[in-house]
Structure formats: C-alpha cells, structure tokens
Amino acid sequence: MSEKIAVLGAGSWGSILASVLDENGHDVRLWSYNPKQVEELNTQHTNAHYIKDFTFSPSLVAYSDLASALDNVDAILFVVPTKAIRSVAGQVAEILKAKNLKPELIHASKGIEQKTYKRLSQVLEEEIPAANRQAVTVLSGPSHAEDVARKDITLVTAASTSPDAAKYVQHLFMTPYFRVYTNPDIIGVEIGAALKNIIALGAGALHGLGYGDNAKAALMTRGLAEISRLGTSFGADPMTFIGLSGVGDIIVTATSSNSRNWRAGDELGKGEALDDVINHMGMVIEGLATTKAAYELSRERGVSMPITEAIYQVIYEGKDIRQAISDLMQREGRSEF
C-alpha cells in the first residue's frame, strides 16, 4: 500500500532512507532547507556532498518548501540534526494544524537535546500537539548510509509505545536487504542510539593513537555498560542495550571509518585541534554535543560513567588524551558487574 511520506533532512541518512521508501513504492517528498541541494536532487538525481557515487530514482522528488512537502502526508520522517529538531518540529506543527493533518511521526536522528537533556521523541511530542499527530516511532540501529546505498544487509529496530505504530513503520521500510524489528522500549533505543556516538569518538581516538584491538574491545564493552547504567536509570529495559540499538550500533559506529564520529575521534587521536576536526568534517558530529549532555546527566543522576567523563574532559576541558587514558586505567580495581 503506497503511503505519502515526507522525509525532513537530506543528509546522507535522510536521503538514503528516502530512497528505500521510494524503492518500496511510496510517494516520497524529501525536504531540505538548501535550495541548491534540492535542485541537484531533482535535476541530477545525486546528493554528492553527502553520499558519493549514488544515483537516486527520478521518482524521488525533493522540496525546499516545507508546506508543499507536507501536503496530505500520511507520515513524516525527521532526519535532521539534533539541534534542529525542535525548530523544525515547531514549523511542522503550524503546517499540520493549518492543513488539519494527523500523520504518523517517525524520527531517525540520534542525539539528546542540549540543556533540556530530552530525548528526541519527547521534543517532537512537546512541539507537535497530539491533535495533529499519531504516536512517535524511532527508527534506529547499526546502519551506515553508505552500506544501505549499496544494498548491504542491514537490520534496524522501530521503537514505539504504540505497537501499531511500530508495525506501521516496520512495513514501510522492509525490503530484502533492509530488515526492521519492533521494540516497545523507546527510552532504551533512543539513549543507546545517542550515546553510542560517544564511544565511537573514543574508539576513533584509540585508533589515531595507535592502540590495538584489545583496547577498542575494552572501550566498547565498558562503554556499553555505561550506556546501560544511564538508560536503566530512566526506566529503559536492560535487554535493549544488547540489541540492535545498543551493542549493534556501537559495533558499527566504533569500528568503521564510515562513522563521522569515529573519524573525528581518529583525527583528535592524531593530534588535530578540535576546531580543525569540525571544519574538516563538513557534517554534524553528533557525539560532541551528546558527550556534554551525557556527562551532565550522569552527574545529575549520580550514574558512574568514567569513559564519558574522560572524553568530556578531553573535548571540553582540553585534557591530554593520553593522560585521560592513563587515569582511566589506574582507577581503583572493582568488580565487573
């Protein structure tokens, strides 16, 4: 059954998810705030800055006007950077009210809002009244846009407090190479999705410093323990963190150069200045802001997160990376569990 779906955000992940939906026969409207990007997508059917060597179907139409993109939609997929979620959602709310629409809401962004510490589904629920939306569903898991573009096997999860909403999203996206599971634990899925970027920064830094596989495995394992501790303090199911949006997402982002967070950490480990790393990337490095949010949350909630604290100290306090690693290794011994 063909659905009308607006995909908001034409970065690498947003544009490739739009392509998956288009391939499944849906009427997809891909919105970008950048008119030049919209023109490129509609005339050349490429998005060269974000996803190289990929040609989109001519049936996928890009929009620069948000109201036009949202006209009579059945669902809206948010794939904009965390810092833009609230402002874009506010604009969407006004348009939905004017058009008297009540679509399904989905988001595939990964982060925690600064200052409020809120998960992105909470931001969407605050900005878009219940009268103009269905339940919010989160699409998350170990998924590089580059791999999905070449139809590599990819498994993700659709998390929602509404089983029907999760199944709806599952059916929208399922293909022979893109498999979607459902999960009722929206808290755990969002926290895992956001905080794995912190661990990816650390893994990249270890690589840049020349450390081997043992160190990276240690970081990912103990990093997962930190994420689980913070998540369960909010009521998340501990099992979620050994699933796709937990350990799965950590593996893919902390071991691959496709991850911009891993690449940022790698450059930091090689001695690059943070400002230079940000300028080189040319895309949002979500892990930087998430590190600050997670560190402040851990302090507020009394949750032990020594790896996150060490990465925070390197990024925001200028601590030497090697000294941060040494301090982590020389902490007092303790039980693993």
Side-chain angles (χ1 to χ4, degrees):
M1 184 174 179
S2 177
E3 297 284 89
K4 294 179 181 178
I5 306 167
V7 179
L8 310 185
S12 56
W13 191 221
S15 61
I16 289 301
L17 286 177
S19 180
V20 172
L21 291 168
D22 176 75
E23 181 183 332
N24 275 353
H26 301 296
D27 176 358
V28 184
R29 299 93 176 272
L30 178 57
W31 174 81
S32 169
Y33 71 92
N34 185 342
K36 290 184 178 179
Q37 186 183 25
V38 169
E39 182 181 5
E40 179 191 348
L41 282 160
N42 286 335
T43 59
Q44 301 178 49
H45 309 297
T46 59
N47 192 13
H49 179 71
Y50 291 98
I51 192 85
K52 299 184 186 302
D53 302 320
F54 184 82
T55 302
F56 293 85
S57 167
S59 59
L60 175 62
V61 180
Y63 291 73
S64 56
D65 180 69
L66 185 57
S68 297
L70 295 177
D71 194 35
N72 291 319
V73 292
D74 299 300
I76 303 172
L77 171 61
F78 289 80
V79 205
V80 297
T82 297
K83 64 181 181 181
I85 283 279
R86 189 175 290 276
S87 63
V88 173
Q91 297 173 58
V92 168
E94 293 179 5
I95 295 168
L96 294 181
K97 183 178 180 181
K99 292 179 179 289
N100 193 29
L101 295 174
K102 193 175 181 179
E104 298 282 348
L105 293 190
I106 314 159
H107 89 74
S109 301
K110 298 180 179 182
I112 295 173
E113 188 176 47
Q114 295 299 292
K115 296 183 180 179
T116 69
Y117 308 136
K118 289 184 176 175
R119 293 177 286 107
L120 302 187
S121 65
Q122 293 175 301
V123 175
L124 292 176
E125 289 168 348
E126 286 182 357
E127 291 296 321
I128 303 176
N132 291 116
R133 61 168 171 80
Q134 303 294 331
V136 178
T137 302
V138 179
L139 187 72
S140 188
S143 46
H144 287 312
E146 296 83 357
D147 287 348
V148 178
R150 61 187 182 89
K151 299 187 178 182
D152 198 1
I153 291 173
T154 301
L155 278 66
V156 296
T157 192
S160 179
T161 55
S162 164
D164 288 341
K167 289 177 182 177
Y168 172 80
V169 173
Q170 182 181 50
H171 291 306
L172 287 182
F173 282 94
M174 287 277 276
T175 76
Y177 64 89
F178 195 85
R179 182 171 175 82
V180 185
Y181 290 83
T182 61
N183 188 329
D185 182 19
I186 195 169
I187 297 173
V189 167
E190 285 189 294
I191 289 177
L195 269 61
K196 55 89 182 182
N197 284 329
I198 303 172
I199 307 308
L201 282 170
L206 288 178
H207 182 269
L209 288 162
Y211 286 95
D213 294 339
N214 290 1
K216 295 164 193 171
L219 176 78
M220 287 187 279
T221 306
R222 297 309 302 166
L224 181 63
E226 291 190 9
I227 293 171
S228 180
R229 283 198 293 269
L230 185 64
T232 53
S233 79
F234 284 99
D237 183 344
M239 290 297 291
T240 296
F241 300 105
I242 61 170
L244 290 167
S245 63
V247 66
D249 221 349
I250 285 179
I251 290 171
V252 80
T253 54
T255 63
S256 173
S257 59
N258 281 334
S259 164
R260 70 191 67 164
N261 291 280
W262 185 95
R263 295 199 307 271
D266 184 49
E267 291 189 21
L268 288 172
K270 290 175 178 175
E272 293 286 335
L274 180 60
D275 288 344
D276 291 337
V277 171
I278 294 171
N279 291 333
H280 292 163
M281 204 60 55
M283 292 182 277
V284 176
I285 307 168
E286 291 283 12
L288 297 178
T290 304
T291 297
K292 186 174 187 293
Y295 169 73
E296 292 173 353
L297 270 174
S298 70
R299 304 273 289 185
E300 178 183 289
R301 301 182 71 83
V303 175
S304 174
M305 300 183 72
I307 294 172
T308 300
E309 181 177 0
I311 294 172
Y312 173 87
Q313 290 170 341
V314 170
I315 293 172
Y316 291 98
E317 297 178 353
K319 186 172 183 177
D320 179 76
I321 296 181
R322 292 188 183 278
Q323 185 60 54
I325 293 170
S326 177
D327 290 346
L328 276 172
M329 291 298 294
Q330 296 185 63
R331 290 176 302 131
E332 183 179 353
R334 51 163 293 177
S335 171
E336 182 181 5
F337 302 111

